[in-house]
């Protein structure tokens, strides 16, 4: 389990020469690569002890207990109109903090933490190739619209 809470605050922004950058977590959903600002990430951990929630929306895989806190595990792919994520023994939960509490997004693989240009959007070039910048604020707003 990797605790990324230390990347918040001043540590999530870096300067590379004259270019201001932020740290981003690179991950995969299926064959697609994504980058999300590390300031949104609380932790990444293996999916274990998933409890299904009866009558939950299709995009809710269930809930997990993380050190006494209940975290809802969401199919991030559903929220960004990608093919449904399959739960596998190697599935990971990317736990993010939002105003209603913590939410976990199921991802296939964590690749790295890299510096990306501050405010970059759309496709960005990284050390391992191209990734799509995921604006978690928009994803969270989309998620909240289901519950409002």
């Amino acid at each position: 389990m990797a605790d990324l809470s230390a990347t918040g605050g001043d540590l999530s922004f870096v300067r590379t020469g004259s270019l201001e950058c932020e740290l981003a977590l690179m991950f995969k959903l299926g064959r697609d690569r994504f980058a999300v600002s590390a300031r949104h990430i609380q932790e990444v951990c293996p999916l274990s002890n998933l409890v299904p929630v009866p009558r939950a929306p299709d995009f809710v895989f269930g809930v997990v207990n993380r050190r006494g806190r209940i975290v809802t595990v969401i199919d991030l792919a559903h929220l960004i109109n990608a093919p449904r994520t399959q739960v596998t023994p190697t599935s990971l939960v990317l736990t993010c903090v939002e105003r209603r509490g913590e939410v976990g997004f199921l991802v296939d693989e964590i690749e790295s933490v890299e510096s990306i240009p501050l405010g970059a959007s759309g496709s960005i070039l990284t050390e391992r190739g191209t990734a799509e910048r995921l604006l978690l604020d928009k994803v969270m707003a989309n998620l909240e619209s289901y519950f409002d």
Side-chain angles (χ1 to χ4, degrees):
M1 177 171 56
D3 186 351
L4 299 177
S5 59
T7 61
D10 294 336
L11 294 178
S12 64
F13 297 95
V14 294
R15 183 177 293 278
T16 305
S18 62
L19 185 64
E20 285 194 7
C21 297
E22 66 181 318
L23 295 177
L25 182 73
M26 304 301 186
F27 66 93
K28 290 181 93 172
L29 279 175
R31 292 182 175 182
D32 297 324
R33 296 180 71 237
F34 294 92
V36 65
S37 175
R39 71 177 183 269
H40 295 293
I41 309 302
Q42 181 172 2
E43 70 179 356
V44 177
C45 52
L47 177 64
S48 62
N49 301 317
L50 181 69
V51 178
V53 178
R55 293 183 286 212
D58 289 349
F59 60 88
V60 175
F61 282 113
V63 295
V64 293
N65 183 334
R66 290 287 178 247
R67 292 176 294 288
R69 299 180 325 268
I70 302 302
V71 177
T72 303
V73 179
I74 303 289
D75 183 8
L76 178 58
H78 176 86
L79 298 177
I80 60 173
N81 297 318
R84 183 171 174 83
T85 306
Q86 298 300 313
V87 177
T88 69
T90 59
S91 293
L92 298 167
V93 178
L94 185 72
T95 304
C96 303
V97 178
E98 56 104 10
R99 65 184 176 145
R100 293 184 190 215
E102 297 171 332
V103 63
F105 295 109
L106 197 68
V107 300
D108 294 321
E109 178 184 343
I110 301 297
E111 289 190 332
S112 61
V113 175
E114 297 182 27
S115 295
I116 62 171
L118 188 61
S121 61
S123 292
I124 54 174
L125 187 60
T126 70
E127 293 174 11
R128 295 183 180 211
T130 304
E132 190 66 27
R133 170 74 189 271
L134 191 61
L135 298 175
L136 210 53
D137 296 335
K138 290 184 179 181
V139 171
M140 292 294 199
N142 189 9
L143 177 61
E144 287 183 6
S145 71
Y146 285 100
F147 297 106
D148 288 339

